[in-house]
Amino acid sequence: MSVSTRFPRQPKRPKQPDPDAADTAAEAATAEEPLTDAGPPPDGTAEQIPNDASAEGDTAGGGTWRDRHPSTARTLAHATTALSALLVLLALLLPNQLTLLTPSQFARIPVEGILGAALLLVLPPKTRRAASAVAGAGLGLLTVLNLLDIGFNEALGRGFNPVYDWTLLGDGESFLQDSIGRTQAIGVAIGALALALALLVLMTLAVVRLGTLMARHSAAATRAVLALGTVWVACTALGVQEAGVPVAAESAAGGVENRAQQVQASLADEQAFAKVAGADAFAHTPGNRLLTGLRGKDVIFTFIESYGRSAIEDPLMAPGVDAALADGTKQLRAAGYSARSGWLTSSTYGGGSWLGHSTFMSGLWIDNQQRYRTLTAGDHLTLTSAFKRTGAWRTVGIMPGLTKGWPEGSFYGLDRVYGSRDLGYKGPKFSWSTMPDQFALSAFERLEHGKSNHTTEQAKQRANPHHSKPLMSFVILTSSHNPWAPLPKMIGWNEIGDGSVYHAIHQAGKQPADVWQHTAQIRTEYGKSIQYSLHSLIAYLKKYGTKNTVLVFLGDHQPLAKVSGEHASHDVPVTLVAHDPSVLKRISGWHWTPGLMPAPKAPVWRMDTFRNRFLTAYGPRPGSAPSRPAS
C-alpha cells in the first residue's frame, strides 16, 4: 500500500508567492550551497515520506556531492567568493602602463566599487541581476583594453586606440611568427584570445555572484559600503597615499571617460584630416618648377628601421654606433662626399614604420592607421611623386620587407616596386627581415642603379629609354628590425651572389629567445644591428656612388621602450650626403651638423615639415627661370 493511501490528508494550499521574495530566495540558493531537500514533487501530489531503508541508502551512498562533502563545499563557495572579489578589485585598479604595475597600485579603495555596490543594493532582484551582468561584462572589456594598452605602450609608446588599432593586432601576430615561429605564434594568439574571452565571462560571473551575496546579506553589505565610503572620502580629503599612490582611487571611471573621449576624437579626426590632406601648397606646382636644383642627380631616400636618437646618445649603444658614423664620415669625405645631419621628430614610436615613411614623404602628420588610409586613398603630393611629376626621373622602390601586394606604390608615384620576391634572394630570413641590408643594396645596384650609371648613354637608350633618366629611389633597410637576432654580417660585395652564403651566418647567429632574456643584451644587439645597417649603406655609397649621387637617409622611429628607455623622445637622425657642393649649399640655412652624426643641439624639426623644406630648398631660386619640362 502506498504512503499516500496510509496518509490521506491533503496538503495545505500554499499562499500566493511574492515575486520579489521568490527571486531573493532563488538568488540565495545559487549563492550558497543548495539545500539537500528536493522539495515537493512537481506534479503537486502529497509529499512522500521515505521509509527507513531508503533513508539509510540516501545517507550511505545517495544525495549530491555537496551532501556528502558539506565542509569542502562550503570552503569552495567561500574561495569562489573571495576570488570573485579579487578579480573585480584587480579590474578596477589595473593600470594601463607596465611601469605602474606595483603592489601599491592595488592597495587602494576604488570608488567605482563602492558606488556600484550601493547601486546593486537598492535595485530590485531582476534589475540587479541584469545590472550585475552588464557591469561584469564592462569590467571584463575594460580589463582587456587595459592589457592592450600595456602592450601598445611597451611596443609603440602609446595606448591602444579602439577605433583603428585592431588591424595592428594582425601585424603583431605576423611579427611573432617571424620571431618565435609559426606554431608558437599561433599558440600565443589562441592563448590571448582565450584570455580575453575568459576575462569577459569570469568577470560577469564574479559581479553577478557578489551582487547576489550582497542581496542576501544586505544589512552587513550596507554597513560595509558605508564604512568604505567614509574611508574613501576621508582619504580623499586628507590626500592619503601609499608609496606615492593615492589610496582613494577613481582610475576606472577616469579610464572609461578617457576611452569615450578618445573614440569621439578619433571619429572627428577622420573628417578633419581629410580636409587638411586636401590642402597642399605644392598641389598645383607644375613639374618644370619642382626640384630644379637636383636635375641630373640620382637621388636615394633611405629609411633605416628603428634608427632612433637613442642609438646615438645612449651610453650602452652609442659608442659602437657613433664610431660607425665617425668612420663613415671619414671614408665618404675621402671619396669626395660631404654630409649634413639633423633631427626629425617621428610621428610614430617603436613600430608602425609606414606611418613615419608617409609622414616624411607627404608633409602631413600621419600618426594612426585611419590617417594613413585617408592619405593613400587620395592624390596628395609626396616627395617621391614630386620627382615623378617632373618627368625628369625614373622612380623605383626597393622594399625587402614587402611580402604581399602594395597598392600604395601608385600613390607614391613609383614606376616600379621591388618586393622581397623580386630581389632574387635565396638565403634565410634573419628573424623579421627577409634579407640582409647589404643584399638588398646589392640587388638595387644590379637591378636599377647600376643600369642607370654603368652603361653608355647609347646603350641605355637601346635597352630601355627609361634608363636614360636619372634615378629617384625609395629604399627601406630592414636588418635593424626587432627582435635583433640573429644578425647578418658584412661580407665582400663579390661574395653576395644569390644570398645562399648567408645560411652559415644565420646558423651561427643568436636566437631571439636567448637575446630577449636580458634588457642589456637586447640593447646591445639593437646597437649592433644599427651599426650593420650603417656599414652597409656607407660601403654601398662608397663603392657604387657617383658624382651625381645624392643620398638622404634617416630613421623611421625610435626602438621600443625596452631599448630606448621610458619616456624617450620620438627623435630620429636625418642626414643628407652629396658629392656636388652646390647640393649642400642649398641647405646651408638649415644649420645642420657637418658629417653623418647630428650634434645634440642640432635643429629638431617635426618630420612632417621636411617635405616643404626640401621642395623649397631645391625649387627654383627667386628670379630664376623655370627648367624646360622633360620630354
Side-chain angles (χ1 to χ4, degrees):
M1 184 166 56
S2 69
V3 176
S4 299
T5 304
R6 289 186 290 156
F7 298 93
R9 291 179 301 170
Q10 297 298 318
K12 293 182 179 180
R13 184 182 182 87
K15 295 181 179 180
Q16 191 68 22
D18 178 37
D20 288 348
D23 287 335
T24 304
E27 291 174 350
T30 58
E32 300 295 338
E33 53 271 20
L35 300 175
T36 57
D37 187 2
D43 58 2
T45 59
E47 180 182 4
Q48 297 185 358
I49 301 176
N51 56 30
D52 293 343
S54 61
E56 291 176 358
D58 287 344
T59 304
T64 66
W65 177 86
R66 293 175 180 269
D67 296 331
R68 296 191 300 272
H69 306 282
S71 177
T72 304
R74 283 193 297 271
T75 301
L76 288 176
H78 294 326
T80 303
T81 300
L83 288 175
S84 298
L86 180 62
L87 191 61
V88 171
L89 185 65
L90 290 176
L92 291 172
L93 297 176
L94 181 69
N96 64 353
Q97 295 186 38
L98 191 62
T99 55
L100 300 178
L101 205 61
T102 60
S104 60
Q105 184 72 24
F106 299 98
R108 302 189 298 156
I109 304 173
V111 68
E112 302 87 358
I114 298 172
L115 296 177
L119 178 62
L120 293 180
L121 282 171
V122 300
L123 291 176
K126 290 183 179 180
T127 306
R128 179 173 57 250
R129 287 195 296 271
S132 298
V134 172
L139 280 180
L141 179 60
L142 179 64
T143 304
V144 171
L145 292 176
N146 281 338
L147 291 175
L148 286 171
D149 269 349
I150 290 175
F152 270 64
N153 277 313
E154 285 298 298
L156 303 179
R158 62 172 178 84
F160 175 79
N161 190 302
V163 176
Y164 44 66
D165 277 348
W166 296 104
T167 57
L168 299 183
L169 299 181
D171 296 324
E173 197 272 337
S174 299
F175 167 70
L176 279 179
Q177 288 192 27
D178 296 325
S179 302
I180 62 177
R182 178 177 175 80
T183 302
Q184 292 88 336
I186 292 176
V188 171
I190 293 174
L193 180 60
L195 175 62
L197 293 176
L199 284 172
L200 292 172
V201 174
L202 294 178
M203 202 71 72
T204 302
L205 294 176
V207 177
V208 169
R209 180 179 182 85
L210 294 176
T212 302
L213 285 175
M214 287 192 300
R216 186 178 186 190
H217 306 284
S218 59
T222 300
R223 289 193 296 269
V225 168
L226 289 174
L228 287 173
T230 302
V231 173
W232 189 90
V233 171
C235 290
T236 301
L238 298 174
V240 179
Q241 295 187 350
E242 172 64 28
V245 179
V247 172
E250 52 183 350
S251 54
V256 172
E257 182 181 2
N258 290 338
R259 299 270 180 207
Q261 293 175 351
Q262 184 183 40
V263 170
Q264 184 179 9
S266 298
L267 296 176
D269 178 73
E270 182 177 354
Q271 297 180 349
F273 178 73
K275 295 180 180 179
V276 172
D280 185 357
F282 289 91
H284 303 294
T285 304
N288 66 335
R289 293 189 61 83
L290 286 171
L291 300 162
T292 55
L294 291 174
R295 297 301 169 97
K297 306 296 183 185
D298 287 318
V299 182
I300 308 172
F301 292 102
T302 301
F303 283 92
I304 298 178
E305 170 66 36
S306 300
Y307 177 36
R309 186 163 191 153
S310 58
I312 292 177
E313 296 184 344
D314 183 270
L316 182 61
M317 302 172 293
V321 174
D322 292 355
L325 292 172
D327 182 63
T329 300
K330 293 179 182 178
Q331 291 186 43
L332 293 180
R333 185 181 297 122
Y337 291 94
S338 298
R340 298 291 184 273
S341 299
W343 302 103
L344 297 177
T345 301
S346 177
S347 61
T348 184
Y349 173 93
S353 302
W354 59 95
L355 302 179
H357 302 164
S358 55
T359 296
F360 178 82
M361 290 295 180
S362 69
L364 297 172
W365 192 253
I366 313 299
D367 60 351
N368 61 62
Q369 192 65 16
Q370 181 58 51
R371 286 191 167 204
Y372 178 78
R373 287 195 292 264
T374 301
L375 172 70
T376 54
D379 57 358
H380 191 86
L381 186 72
T382 64
L383 282 178
T384 45
S385 58
F387 279 87
K388 183 175 180 62
R389 179 183 290 185
T390 67
W393 278 272
R394 171 171 164 76
T395 59
V396 301
I398 305 296
M399 301 185 173
L402 192 63
T403 59
K404 57 184 71 174
W406 194 56
E408 292 92 330
S410 59
F411 164 75
Y412 281 108
L414 300 175
D415 295 321
R416 175 70 190 273
V417 175
Y418 294 87
S420 60
R421 298 182 179 90
D422 306 314
L423 298 174
Y425 183 63
K426 303 299 182 182
K429 290 181 64 176
F430 282 80
S431 189
W432 185 90
S433 181
T434 58
M435 65 191 68
D437 290 345
Q438 189 181 9
F439 182 91
L441 291 168
S442 176
F444 169 51
E445 181 65 21
R446 168 171 44 87
L447 295 169
E448 287 289 348
H449 187 258
K451 292 180 178 179
S452 295
N453 293 288
H454 298 163
T455 57
T456 64
E457 289 297 324
Q458 294 82 359
K460 286 188 289 187
Q461 289 282 3
R462 288 194 300 268
N464 190 336
H466 287 295
H467 287 304
S468 63
K469 300 178 180 179
L471 193 65
M472 191 290 304
S473 311
F474 183 23
V475 180
I476 310 297
L477 300 182
T478 61
S479 289
S480 51
H481 195 290
N482 65 9
W484 308 299
L487 294 176
K489 296 181 179 179
M490 291 294 296
I491 60 178
W493 292 94
N494 58 349
E495 301 175 32
I496 293 176
D498 63 0
S500 300
V501 66
Y502 288 105
H503 281 288
I505 298 175
H506 181 276
Q507 292 175 359
K510 299 177 181 179
Q511 295 302 310
D514 299 328
V515 169
W516 280 69
Q517 291 179 359
H518 305 287
T519 301
Q521 192 169 10
I522 299 173
R523 297 168 70 200
T524 298
E525 296 305 309
Y526 160 76
K528 290 180 180 178
S529 73
I530 295 296
Q531 293 175 52
Y532 169 77
S533 295
L534 290 171
H535 285 313
S536 298
L537 186 59
I538 293 167
Y540 172 83
L541 184 60
K542 182 181 175 182
K543 182 175 179 62
Y544 296 112
T546 69
K547 293 182 178 180
N548 287 324
T549 300
V550 175
L551 170 67
V552 179
F553 72 91
L554 69 155
D556 45 20
H557 54 72
Q558 283 263 55
L560 48 75
K562 201 173 186 68
V563 174
S564 59
E566 298 294 337
H567 310 297
S569 73
H570 287 209
D571 296 346
V572 298
V574 58
T575 299
L576 194 153
V577 186
H579 198 287
D580 185 349
S582 66
V583 173
L584 292 179
K585 185 177 180 180
R586 282 181 171 257
I587 64 168
S588 59
W590 292 3
H591 304 295
W592 280 11
T593 306
L596 301 181
M597 184 170 67
K601 294 186 178 181
V604 181
W605 304 336
R606 276 180 35 138
M607 188 176 278
D608 57 339
T609 65
F610 183 86
R611 188 207 71 157
N612 285 5
R613 291 177 185 268
F614 189 87
L615 292 177
T616 300
Y618 293 104
R621 291 299 189 188
S624 63
S627 302
R628 294 178 60 189
S631 58

